[in-house]
Amino acid sequence: MTASVTVRLDEPTLAALDEMARKTSRSRDEIVARAVEDFVASDARLLEKIIEGLAAADKGDFASDEEVARVRRKFLSPS
């Protein structure tokens, strides 16, 4: 089952959408539906990771000082 949704886009975005539709021989609806599906799936994964992190923090499960120092060295040391 599908439902209709109205979306307002600025002119440059709409033009880009139409150009993509033309180049890929797909409809606006197909492209927008896929974009929304991808966004929702991506944000759902991100939200799950945030919930897991908050649950770990609530249990007091934090990185040790040495773990933090190791990560800092990894990203702050010159290559």
Side-chain angles (χ1 to χ4, degrees), residues 36-50:
V36 171
E37 289 167 6
D38 289 350
F39 175 81
V40 169
S42 174
D43 265 28
R45 288 189 301 271
L46 177 61
L47 182 58
E48 188 57 37
K49 292 292 185 186
I50 291 169

Side-chain angles (χ1 to χ4, degrees), residues 4-31:
S4 294
V5 175
T6 300
V7 177
R8 295 189 183 278
L9 302 173
D10 60 28
E11 287 297 324
T13 302
L14 183 58
L17 175 61
D18 285 340
E19 181 68 8
M20 181 178 285
R22 186 187 66 73
K23 286 181 177 178
T24 62
S25 299
R26 297 186 320 188
S27 69
R28 281 181 180 172
D29 286 350
E30 288 177 275
I31 295 169

